[in-house]
Amino acid sequence: MTRSVLLLIALLAALVPPLGTANPASAAADDTSAGSNVDRVNPFIGTTGSSSTEYGGMIPSTAPPFGMTRWSPMTRENYVSRLPYHLGDPKITGFIGTHQPAIWMGDSGYVVGMPGVGAVKTTAADRGLPYSHSDETASPELYTVNMHPAAGQTLRAELTATSRVGVQRLTYPQGTGANYVVQATRSGVTGDVHIDPARREISGDNPDRQDSNLGPFKAPGFKGYFVARFDTPFAGYGTATGATQYDQQSDRTDQDVSGYVRFPSGTVNVTVRIATSFISVDQARANLDKEVPDRQTFDATVARTRAAWADKLDRVDIDGATHDQRAIFYTAMYHALQYPSEMSEYGRYYSAYDDKVHKGVSYTGYSLWDTFRAENAFLTLFAPERIDDMVTSMLQDYQQGGWLPLWKNLTETNIMEGTNADSVIAEDIAKGFHGFDLNLAYQAVRKDAMTPPDDDTTLWYGDRQQGTPVEARAGLTTYLKNGWVAADRTAEAGARTLDFAYEDWAVAQVARAAGKASDAAYFLKRSKNYRNQYNAATGFMQARNLDGTWADGAWTEGDQWVYTNDVLHDVPGLIALKGGDTAFASWLDTYFAGGHNNQTNEPSHHIPYLYDYAGRPWRTQQLVRQIADANYHNTPDGLTGNEDAGQMSAWYLLSALGIYPVNPASGQYAVGSPFFDKVTLRLPGADRPLVISSPHAASRPYVQALSLNGKSITKPFLSQADLTGGGHLDFTMNAAPQAWSASTTPPPAAHNLAQSKPVAMIDGTPAVDWGKPTENAVDGDPATEAQSTSGAPWSLRVDLGAATTVGRVVVNPDWENYPVNYDIKVSDDGTTWTTVATETAAGGTATCSSYGVTTCGQLHAYTFAPTKARYVLLSVNSWASAKTGAPADGYGWALREFEVYAG
């Protein structure tokens, strides 16, 4: 995920689902009522969370797939780490045409329009109107809200959009003075507005590029241009700078500049179309005339945008899903099909790399460190018609800027590390895409792999470090010399070494496709450099200094637990380093039991699928289901991590189909556990549908057998051709772990009796504001925790619902704040308790050194004579902080999971 900077804890007042959404929560077992899957999308998913930055980071925007400009209600001014809409805000201050691709990135050339009544108000602080979520609806093609300027007054706004034009249909309250404000720029940014009453237009430009401090390309000529055209004549107009208005003046160049119009008395209905361009005002006007011409009605525009979404979403039919599961799935498609976004305008595009207009097709919003993992794979299946142009766009960036993009937000921002375009190009070639210049593609990826960035030996190349050249593979100089990036010379050296090794493998695939056999062999050999970072003494990947000594840290949004699994291209080689299948599977068990997997951040996304390579596919199947259930919900806070340009959703979409690309550049998918009874895919360009059948999948997560068009599949891997060829992919599912494709006998199914059962914290106050409520102890996800805000020891009681045979309990505490002395008790009535296990010194030393301590919290299992009980109590007598050996002020001890089994 794009960097976690400026973290602020948001205490949100009311996190209620919008009542007007087309997708209210439902517990229906299966829902087939919608006429189109477009109706199942809930654009409010991901619009809020317990943190102001670490949530889904989405807005209820409207535009067709890959739209250049997305239109959204605006409840706050957006900038880096802040989006224009947040569910908890009480007022709408405008409707923004935004080019902000992700919460951690800035906007560029945006424009805001806002209707008003009575006196014209030109500042966001003054013009905001209250609204209720019960008066708000959203779908991919239409957003509607009723705002309330005063008691008894309703101003209704309906919003739709094409790729480059936003359209609003406004219904003003009767008997009020109707007006409209177009804001071009904000404080500190100089822009232009021009009002043409004869054309009924406000036009102008906005040069603001909020990420302009990042990367070497400053794009001095950049502007976002707009033309707003109204269907109603003006009764008056003016310009403004902030709150200062200049009535009847039609032109202004200034900071915080706006234009406004007043409509004739009695006006109730107004439609405004706002076209955008990166090229010129004239091009914006041409975009308007082409996409939403004067004769086209608002409803016709809605229908066209809806049809564009239906063309994608209605290619997937699902049987055996609940209402909420359908909403999650189709909303994930809605999210993933927004990226990357179009940047070209009918055969021309502005390049911020060389500050010129070129002929061709262009895309932006390339969050490649995130999206190479699964988002690109999703696009190769569901938008193959765009892949060749997307690669060509990156090659144009290479020609105009000297390098393939790392994180392109109009131009290079130098955010994240590694040259992940190498992987995307290799993957597209492996999957049969050839509509781009292969020789140029190889030239570009070879430069990534062989040419250090400028000043590579003197610059640190830290996160968002300003004043640097294109980062490319920062640290490549020491990587070429030693086989690792030196941690005492370059930031994030541990992550870079592993990523460079994977990217070398990807470059080798492009070299082979380009007929460069000797180069391919060279890069394949170099791709083994990941082995230079494996510290056999600790069992972890570890960064190294220039002289070869081991270094601490040096990771990118992860730690040594996560990055030890980051060998995407040679999992068998990693398994060998860890001592073979059994040892590697045990390592993965420890990794997951310790809560190290973090689905909110991309480096963890492939790890549950690694059991496939170690002969334990049933563990992959089990974990994928758990991760999906814990991290994806049909609620406004239903994405636990930032969407990050489609990657969060792509993980869910592919996993729901039962596949995931561990090594994307190979064109291969690892098999997981499909979520639904049947999914029918009519993939673009495929000769026949692919029907993925997995009867009773909801209650049977484990794969017993798999066949493709009647041919048995015995290994847990599929190719792109297996999917795009169509036909029948048939899973036989079972409720218990199965031996299919396994190298060892799976254990019998063990059902955690405590999972999702009623649970209570005793003698403690739940830390709900920290996102650590009591229920986290029994949610089946060790990545979440229950914790108290009280320093006194607290205990946990689980109600199994009825007298049940219990014989084993697992206590999985946090490593840092953990219980030291406790008893495990059972009871029939919740009053009279029997102690079945006692712990007097729960701390241990395993893995503690990785946290910089000698003793820390440990997972413990307690087996006892099976006994009947309804209640199970973890009664804690004392706890400690691993850092001090004593309780920490202001905290209680933390519990990842409390599990109860029959025996």
Side-chain angles (χ1 to χ4, degrees):
M1 300 223 153
T2 314
R3 305 309 176 81
S4 301
V5 295
L6 306 176
L7 286 176
L8 301 172
I9 300 299
L11 303 179
L12 303 175
L15 301 181
V16 295
L19 299 180
T21 177
N23 301 285
S26 169
D30 196 2
D31 168 36
T32 57
S33 60
S36 168
N37 292 325
V38 179
D39 296 323
R40 306 182 192 278
V41 174
N42 180 359
F44 294 105
I45 291 176
T47 60
T48 191
S50 60
S51 164
S52 64
T53 52
E54 291 301 326
Y55 67 102
M58 297 305 294
I59 55 177
S61 63
T62 180
F66 312 104
M68 186 178 91
T69 305
R70 305 201 65 80
W71 286 85
S72 170
M74 187 173 185
T75 63
R76 53 176 64 183
E77 285 195 343
N78 58 322
Y79 45 80
V80 177
S81 79
R82 184 179 170 106
L83 294 170
Y85 178 95
H86 195 279
L87 190 82
D89 295 336
K91 292 184 178 182
I92 289 177
T93 62
F95 296 89
I96 186 170
T98 178
H99 307 114
Q100 185 174 16
I103 190 170
W104 292 113
M105 305 303 293
D107 208 342
S108 302
Y110 49 85
V111 60
V112 178
M114 181 63 180
V117 301
V120 174
K121 299 174 181 178
T122 51
T123 67
D126 294 336
R127 67 178 181 242
L129 297 178
Y131 74 109
S132 168
H133 294 306
S134 63
D135 291 332
E136 182 186 39
T137 64
S139 64
E141 79 279 16
L142 178 65
Y143 172 88
T144 302
V145 66
N146 289 337
M147 300 173 288
H148 306 287
Q153 291 185 346
T154 297
L155 198 171
R156 182 174 179 80
E158 299 168 275
L159 177 66
T160 191
T162 62
S163 183
R164 300 162 188 85
V165 183
V167 188
Q168 292 179 59
R169 182 164 64 184
L170 307 167
T171 305
Y172 291 88
Q174 297 277 356
T176 60
N179 63 68
Y180 195 92
V181 175
V182 176
Q183 181 179 0
T185 61
R186 301 175 188 167
S187 178
V189 180
T190 298
D192 295 283
V193 291
H194 169 71
I195 303 174
D196 187 338
R199 280 181 159 176
R200 300 176 184 174
E201 288 182 356
I202 302 177
S203 59
D205 60 66
N206 174 12
D208 193 14
R209 193 164 64 85
Q210 294 172 349
D211 291 322
S212 62
N213 61 322
L214 301 176
F217 304 103
K218 298 310 175 184
F222 168 78
K223 292 181 180 178
Y225 301 91
F226 64 87
V227 172
R229 186 181 299 167
F230 300 82
D231 70 346
T232 304
F234 305 160
Y237 59 85
T239 59
T241 300
T244 303
Q245 298 176 13
Y246 304 89
D247 208 43
Q248 296 303 114
Q249 295 189 19
S250 60
D251 291 275
R252 187 155 304 280
T253 299
D254 212 330
Q255 296 184 14
D256 197 6
V257 67
S258 301
Y260 62 85
V261 297
R262 290 186 293 270
F263 302 113
S265 177
T267 297
V268 174
N269 299 307
V270 174
T271 297
V272 55
R273 294 164 290 158
I274 307 179
T276 61
S277 173
F278 294 129
I279 296 174
S280 67
V281 166
D282 286 342
Q283 183 64 49
R285 188 172 288 114
N287 294 343
L288 174 59
D289 292 337
K290 186 173 184 65
E291 296 188 8
V292 192
D294 291 346
R295 64 185 179 275
Q296 183 169 301
T297 66
F298 180 87
D299 291 335
T301 305
V302 171
R304 288 180 60 184
T305 301
R306 179 181 176 85
W309 281 108
D311 179 61
K312 292 299 184 186
L313 274 58
D314 288 347
R315 292 180 180 273
V316 184
D317 293 332
I318 300 174
D319 294 340
T322 67
H323 181 103
D324 285 347
Q325 287 175 322
R326 291 175 186 276
I328 294 166
F329 186 93
Y330 291 110
T331 303
M333 289 190 70
Y334 158 73
H335 286 163
L337 288 166
Q338 295 178 22
Y339 309 99
S341 59
E342 295 172 345
M343 192 171 176
S344 49
E345 305 170 53
Y346 301 103
R348 295 194 302 160
Y349 65 94
Y350 167 78
S351 170
Y353 290 91
D354 63 4
D355 208 30
K356 297 178 181 178
V357 175
H358 299 265
K359 293 181 180 180
V361 177
S362 184
Y363 288 85
T364 187
Y366 278 104
S367 179
L368 291 165
W369 184 86
D370 302 294
T371 59
F372 87 89
R373 304 169 195 272
E375 164 72 359
N376 191 67
F378 170 79
L379 295 179
T380 65
L381 292 170
F382 287 89
E385 72 281 357
R386 292 182 179 258
I387 295 298
D388 287 331
D389 282 345
M390 288 177 176
V391 175
T392 297
S393 175
M394 292 192 294
L395 296 179
Q396 291 166 171
D397 299 339
Y398 164 70
Q399 290 176 306
Q400 292 146 23
W403 300 88
L404 288 167
L406 280 71
W407 212 129
K408 178 188 179 183
N409 187 14
L410 296 188
T411 186
E412 185 56 64
T413 62
N414 270 359
I415 294 175
M416 311 312 290
E417 46 78 22
T419 53
N420 299 293
D422 305 341
S423 173
V424 170
I425 291 171
E427 177 182 10
D428 294 342
I429 291 171
K431 292 179 175 179
F433 294 94
H434 304 296
F436 50 86
D437 188 331
L438 177 59
N439 290 327
L440 181 62
Y442 179 60
Q443 178 187 118
V445 300
R446 190 181 189 282
K447 180 177 180 181
D448 282 345
M450 295 300 295
T451 306
D454 293 345
D455 302 322
D456 190 38
T457 59
T458 58
L459 287 174
W460 178 242
Y461 278 106
D463 176 30
R464 294 180 184 257
Q465 182 177 343
Q466 298 181 26
T468 60
V470 173
E471 182 173 327
R473 293 199 195 183
L476 183 61
T477 303
T478 55
Y479 180 85
L480 291 173
K481 177 182 179 182
N482 289 342
W484 65 83
V485 179
D488 51 353
R489 295 292 187 271
T490 307
E492 303 164 291
R496 291 182 193 274
T497 298
L498 295 172
D499 285 353
F500 292 3
Y502 167 68
E503 290 149 7
D504 283 347
W505 193 91
V507 171
Q509 311 315 305
V510 183
R512 180 181 291 116
K516 309 292 184 181
S518 60
D519 282 8
Y522 167 75
F523 288 116
L524 280 176
K525 180 179 180 180
R526 218 174 74 176
S527 74
K528 302 295 184 181
N529 279 344
Y530 71 87
R531 295 182 296 194
N532 295 329
Q533 285 207 162
Y534 185 69
N535 186 342
T538 64
F540 286 99
M541 292 290 178
Q542 192 168 349
R544 304 182 78 163
N545 293 315
L546 185 64
D547 63 3
T549 57
W550 298 111
D552 294 329
W555 307 115
T556 301
E557 300 194 3
D559 59 16
Q560 62 183 350
W561 283 93
V562 172
Y563 275 95
T564 297
N565 298 301
D566 192 31
V567 184
L568 308 182
H569 60 294
D570 189 14
V571 179
L574 172 63
I575 291 174
L577 287 178
K578 297 294 291 182
D581 286 355
T582 299
F584 185 65
S586 178
W587 151 263
L588 289 176
D589 289 344
T590 302
Y591 167 86
F592 282 101
H596 301 291
N597 201 66
N598 180 10
Q599 182 64 17
T600 71
N601 223 337
E602 281 73 12
S604 288
H605 280 192
H606 70 286
I607 299 176
Y609 286 90
L610 295 182
Y611 283 100
D612 276 357
Y613 299 79
R616 275 79 170 166
W618 69 84
R619 283 289 284 146
T620 286
Q621 297 152 22
Q622 176 189 54
L623 287 165
V624 167
R625 292 291 190 93
Q626 291 177 359
I627 291 168
D629 289 346
N631 291 276
Y632 300 84
H633 304 98
N634 182 25
T635 57
D637 60 349
L639 284 177
T640 56
N642 300 156
E643 178 61 67
D644 282 331
Q647 172 60 27
M648 189 79 170
S649 286
W651 184 95
Y652 179 89
L653 290 163
L654 296 178
S655 294
L657 301 179
I659 57 175
Y660 189 81
V662 172
N663 176 1
S666 70
Q668 185 184 66
Y669 298 86
V671 173
S673 174
F675 297 174
F676 311 119
D677 291 348
K678 184 172 75 171
V679 178
T680 302
L681 304 174
R682 291 174 290 275
L683 298 173
D687 293 333
R688 57 177 176 169
L690 173 68
V691 179
I692 302 175
S693 177
S694 47
H696 311 292
S699 59
R700 302 177 184 178
Y702 299 101
V703 179
Q704 181 175 321
L706 177 61
S707 66
L708 176 64
N709 296 321
K711 181 180 179 181
S712 178
I713 303 293
T714 59
K715 294 186 181 299
F717 303 102
L718 294 166
S719 71
Q720 181 88 347
D722 292 335
L723 306 176
T724 57
H728 292 269
L729 185 63
D730 295 318
F731 288 83
T732 302
M733 308 300 289
N734 200 293
Q738 297 294 300
W740 173 77
S741 80
S743 61
T744 186
T745 303
H751 177 57
N752 177 9
L753 303 172
Q755 186 167 337
S756 302
K757 290 296 194 299
V759 61
M761 180 178 286
I762 310 299
D763 297 328
T765 303
V768 176
D769 289 341
W770 302 344
K772 298 181 180 180
T774 310
E775 292 77 9
N776 284 357
V778 293
D779 66 356
D781 183 3
T784 64
E785 295 180 347
Q787 189 169 20
S788 170
T789 58
S790 168
W794 60 273
S795 302
L796 189 84
R797 184 184 65 222
V798 177
D799 181 357
L800 303 180
T804 307
T805 299
V806 297
R808 184 165 63 95
V809 168
V810 176
V811 179
N812 187 359
D814 177 40
W815 72 270
E816 182 176 358
N817 299 307
Y818 64 96
V820 175
N821 184 299
Y822 52 85
D823 301 301
I824 297 170
K825 302 179 180 182
V826 297
S827 172
D828 290 329
D829 56 11
T831 302
T832 303
W833 296 91
T834 301
T835 300
V836 294
T838 296
E839 179 63 69
T840 58
T845 59
T847 74
C848 299
S849 60
S850 64
Y851 300 111
V853 296
T854 56
T855 304
C856 61
Q858 304 286 311
L859 182 148
H860 289 281
Y862 303 91
T863 301
F864 45 89
T867 183
K868 287 277 190 178
R870 173 173 175 173
Y871 301 92
V872 182
L873 176 68
L874 175 61
S875 179
V876 178
N877 304 311
S878 65
W879 70 280
S881 164
K883 294 180 177 179
T884 65
D889 292 340
Y891 295 88
W893 66 277
L895 182 62
R896 298 183 187 275
E897 284 298 303
F898 185 65
E899 302 171 9
V900 179
Y901 298 92

